[in-house]
């Protein structure tokens, strides 16, 4: 009998502990990806794939899910298996473009119904999202506040101010966080600012102003006391500062030293394609022509006509001027490109349109290409775009620049605006020979772009 009583007491104690643990578990709700309430997809077959697979994999569009939370307060949203690159909107606002990891962020929700939209309109579509979970936040500080940049794209001029909105609430006691500004390149701490979170039952917001005192790229993260807030709970806010004050305008000529000279009529190309080349003699000089198979009409079905010469330069990560003399004596549409053998390099290209609506001079003209090198092994390429027309070149000269590019001499007032567009936003990094993929490397490439 005594043993039975002890066993009964143990069972009751175990049951009591389990009940207590269940009572302390935070409220949560999970929805499967295919259980959406409303949707938009670019192609109907994508919707069938979602229903069949139970994931959003490959669908391009958005999916709305209605959820009801039991009480007003802070909630966390998690995507399964991860949230990377997905846009999440709560009730049409509270926009988040998700970072790495499964957590979307912290959200203040009032008791009742809300709509969560998962969106990715990019042509590659969603990752294989299986669903999401809304979970009532614990009392941990990192789960009970949120930070939003009040400027849509925090790109600031030196001397302006970064404005952050810190939302908090459901706090029985006031507390103070610390906002820490670090250099994104060196991780050095540059400044810190106190952020007071008041004792407040409802939602309250505080504006933090951070002066953009120096040029560079920066991160704002937070800590409570000496403990950093986990970046997966409240991700750091990144911003960049640019000094837009005009530099002294010195003007001047480019100083250069000749390091290679190629007579295309006298020297056979190192490489050819799309048929043999030929040498043409005219009263104004000799030049070499490609075959007449253009890449536009054939794309990849037929090898186009082209020829190229090897060039070796003395140093990588330097700018070189490549001058190509070409005949302005016939209708032509062809590309002049400098290619670099290094991985990640992007060809620097120009081109020629002559004849047709353009009056011919029947002279040798010169086209110049400014090329920043990743390595030292280059190719200078001439390739024709249109079938029936031929690329042509007489001489190639390669110069090393002696000193920096001189700044252009521009009027104090007036002038013109200039835009440079890349289909792929990161391709300029290869064109301007970024030394690495870091923030610092990106700034180097951006500076070279601006000077070029």
């Amino acid at each position: 009998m005594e043993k039975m009583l002890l066993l009964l007491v143990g069972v009751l104690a175990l049951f009591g502990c389990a009940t207590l643990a269940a009572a302390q578990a935070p409220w949560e709700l999970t929805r499967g990806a295919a259980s959406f309430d409303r949707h938009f997809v670019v192609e109907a077959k994508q919707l069938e794939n979602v229903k069949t697979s139970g994931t959003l994999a490959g669908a391009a569009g958005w999916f709305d899910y209605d959820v009801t939370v039991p009480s007003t307060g802070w909630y966390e949203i998690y995507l399964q298996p991860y949230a990377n690159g997905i846009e999440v909107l709560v009730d049409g606002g509270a926009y988040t473009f998700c970072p790495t990891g499964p957590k979307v962020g912290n959200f203040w929700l009032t008791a009742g119904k809300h709509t969560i939209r998962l969106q990715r309109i990019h042509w590659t579509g969603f990752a294989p999202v299986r669903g999401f979970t809304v979970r009532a936040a614990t009392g941990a500080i990192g789960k009970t506040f949120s930070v939003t940049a009040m400027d849509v794209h925090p790109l600031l001029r030196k001397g302006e101010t970064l404005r952050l909105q810190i939302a908090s609430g459901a706090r029985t006691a006031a507390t103070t966080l610390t906002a820490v500004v670090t250099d994104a390149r060196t991780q050095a701490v540059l400044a810190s600012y106190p952020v007071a979170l008041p004792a407040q039952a409802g939602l309250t917001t505080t504006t933090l102003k951070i002066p953009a005192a120096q040029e560079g790229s920066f991160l704002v993260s937070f800590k409570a006391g000496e403990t950093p807030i986990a970046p997966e709970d409240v991700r750091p806010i990144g911003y960049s500062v640019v000094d837009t004050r005009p530099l002294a305008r010195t003007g001047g000529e480019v100083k250069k030293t000749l390091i290679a000279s190629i007579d295309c009529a006298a020297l056979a190309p190192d490489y050819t394609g799309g048929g043999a080349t030929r040498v043409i003699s005219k009263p104004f000089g000799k030049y070499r022509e490609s075959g007449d198979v253009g890449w536009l009409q054939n794309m990849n079905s037929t090898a186009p006509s082209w020829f190229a010469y090897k060039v070796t330069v003395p140093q990588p990560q330097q700018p070189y001027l490549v001058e190509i003399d070409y005949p302005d004596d016939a209708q032509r549409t062809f590309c002049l490109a400098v290619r670099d053998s290094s991985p990640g390099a992007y060809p620097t290209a120009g081109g020629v349109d002559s004849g047709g609506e353009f009056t011919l001079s029947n002279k040798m003209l010169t086209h110049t290409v400014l090329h920043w090198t990743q390595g030292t092994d280059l190719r200078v390429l001439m390739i024709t775009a249109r079938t029936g027309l031929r690329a042509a070149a007489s001489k190639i000269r390669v110069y090393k620049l002696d000193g920096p590019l001189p700044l252009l001499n521009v009027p104090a007032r007036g002038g013109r605006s200039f835009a440079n567009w890349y289909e792929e936003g990161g391709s300029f990094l290869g064109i301007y020979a970024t030394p690495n993929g870091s923030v610092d490397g990106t700034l180097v490439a951006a500076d070279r772009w601006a000077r070029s």
Side-chain angles (χ1 to χ4, degrees), residues 56-68:
L56 303 183
W62 53 258
F63 297 87
D64 279 355
Y65 305 82
D66 296 330
V67 300
T68 300

Side-chain angles (χ1 to χ4, degrees), residues 429-445:
L429 299 174
I431 294 173
Y432 293 100
T434 181
N436 54 64
S438 69
V439 172
D440 192 49
T442 301
L443 290 173
V444 169

Side-chain angles (χ1 to χ4, degrees), residues 1 8 19 30 32 46 49 64 69-70 105 115-116 135 164 172 183 235 239 253 321 338 352 399 434:
M1 177 64 75
L8 180 59
T19 303
T30 297
Q46 296 174 344
N49 292 338
D64 279 355
V69 300
T115 298
I116 295 174
R135 180 180 303 150
L164 301 181
T172 57
D183 188 304
R235 59 172 163 162
Y239 68 101
E253 295 296 321
L321 277 178
V338 181
V352 171
Y399 297 90
T434 181

Side-chain angles (χ1 to χ4, degrees), residues 360-417:
L360 296 172
S361 65
N362 288 300
K363 297 177 180 179
M364 291 293 182
L365 302 182
T366 301
H367 189 89
T368 302
V369 177
L370 175 65
H371 179 75
W372 292 86
T373 61
Q374 288 276 25
T376 58
D377 186 22
L378 307 180
R379 304 287 184 268
V380 180
L381 168 76
M382 281 61 65
I383 180 170
T384 190
R386 294 173 55 191
T387 294
L389 309 184
R390 297 172 185 264
S394 173
K395 290 183 172 60
I396 299 170
R397 294 174 297 277
V398 181
Y399 297 90
K400 177 177 71 70
L401 296 189
D402 301 324
L405 289 168
L407 296 175
L408 295 179
N409 223 346
V410 298
R413 299 179 62 185
R416 59 182 178 173
S417 298

Side-chain angles (χ1 to χ4, degrees), residues 39-395:
H39 72 280
F40 163 77
V41 291
V42 174
E43 297 181 41
K45 65 180 181 180
Q46 296 174 344
L47 189 62
E48 295 305 314
N49 292 338
V50 170
K51 293 177 180 178
T52 301
S53 69
T55 77
L56 303 183
W62 53 258
F63 297 87
D64 279 355
Y65 305 82
D66 296 330
V67 300
T68 300
V69 300
S71 58
T72 299
W74 284 101
Y75 291 82
E76 301 174 274
I77 299 178
Y78 293 84
L79 269 59
Q80 293 91 28
Y82 53 83
N84 311 23
I86 295 172
E87 297 171 292
V88 177
L89 294 89
V90 178
D91 296 332
Y95 173 87
T96 304
F97 182 76
C98 296
T100 57
K103 183 170 178 176
V104 177
N106 302 327
F107 299 88
W108 177 270
L109 301 178
T110 56
K113 180 182 174 182
H114 297 272
T115 298
I116 295 174
R117 172 171 291 186
L118 308 184
Q119 178 171 284
R120 183 167 170 82
I121 313 236
H122 191 269
W123 66 272
T124 57
F126 278 90
V129 175
R130 299 189 302 270
F132 66 91
T133 298
V134 182
R135 180 180 303 150
T138 64
I141 184 67
K143 301 178 185 299
T144 55
F145 77 98
S146 66
V147 182
T148 305
M150 297 174 70
D151 301 294
V152 178
H153 299 291
L155 175 62
L156 307 172
R157 287 183 171 87
K158 183 178 177 180
E160 293 181 336
T161 301
L162 175 70
R163 300 177 304 150
L164 301 181
Q165 182 173 277
I166 294 91
S168 64
R171 306 203 61 79
T172 57
T175 189
T176 299
L177 299 174
T178 301
V180 180
V181 180
T182 56
D183 188 304
R185 291 172 291 172
T186 66
Q187 284 74 57
V189 175
L190 303 177
S192 60
Y193 302 87
V195 180
L197 303 184
Q200 181 81 24
L203 181 67
T204 184
T205 57
T206 301
T207 299
L208 172 63
K209 296 181 179 180
I210 297 176
Q214 65 187 79
E215 192 174 49
S217 291
F218 309 96
L219 291 171
V220 183
S221 58
F222 294 82
K223 62 182 184 179
E226 294 303 314
T227 304
I229 301 297
E232 57 267 26
D233 282 331
V234 179
R235 59 172 163 162
I237 299 289
Y239 68 101
S240 297
V241 179
V242 179
D243 189 345
T244 60
R245 294 174 299 174
L247 298 172
R249 301 288 183 173
T250 56
E253 295 296 321
V254 174
K255 297 179 181 179
K256 58 189 181 180
T257 299
L258 183 67
I259 60 173
S261 181
I262 300 169
D263 186 334
C264 301
L267 183 66
D270 295 299
Y271 307 97
T272 60
T277 63
R278 65 186 188 183
V279 175
I280 304 296
S281 293
K282 291 287 181 76
F284 54 84
K286 293 183 177 182
Y287 58 85
R288 186 174 298 274
E289 278 189 335
S290 71
D292 66 353
V293 181
W295 82 73
L296 286 177
Q297 287 91 340
N298 299 284
M299 296 309 287
N300 295 322
S301 63
T302 305
S305 299
W306 59 276
F307 61 98
Y309 291 89
K310 296 179 182 179
V311 174
T312 301
V313 295
Q315 288 180 292
Q317 290 297 318
Q318 296 295 321
Y320 295 87
L321 277 178
V322 180
E323 293 181 353
I324 302 104
D325 294 342
Y326 68 92
D328 182 34
D329 64 342
Q331 186 172 8
R332 307 180 191 275
T333 299
F334 66 96
C335 173
L336 300 166
V338 181
R339 302 211 62 178
D340 191 318
S341 63
S342 301
Y346 206 94
T348 308
V352 171
D353 270 316
S354 64
E357 65 270 38
F358 303 109
T359 301
L360 296 172
S361 65
N362 288 300
K363 297 177 180 179
M364 291 293 182
L365 302 182
T366 301
H367 189 89
T368 302
V369 177
L370 175 65
H371 179 75
W372 292 86
T373 61
Q374 288 276 25
T376 58
D377 186 22
L378 307 180
R379 304 287 184 268
V380 180
L381 168 76
M382 281 61 65
I383 180 170
T384 190
R386 294 173 55 191
T387 294
L389 309 184
R390 297 172 185 264
S394 173
K395 290 183 172 60

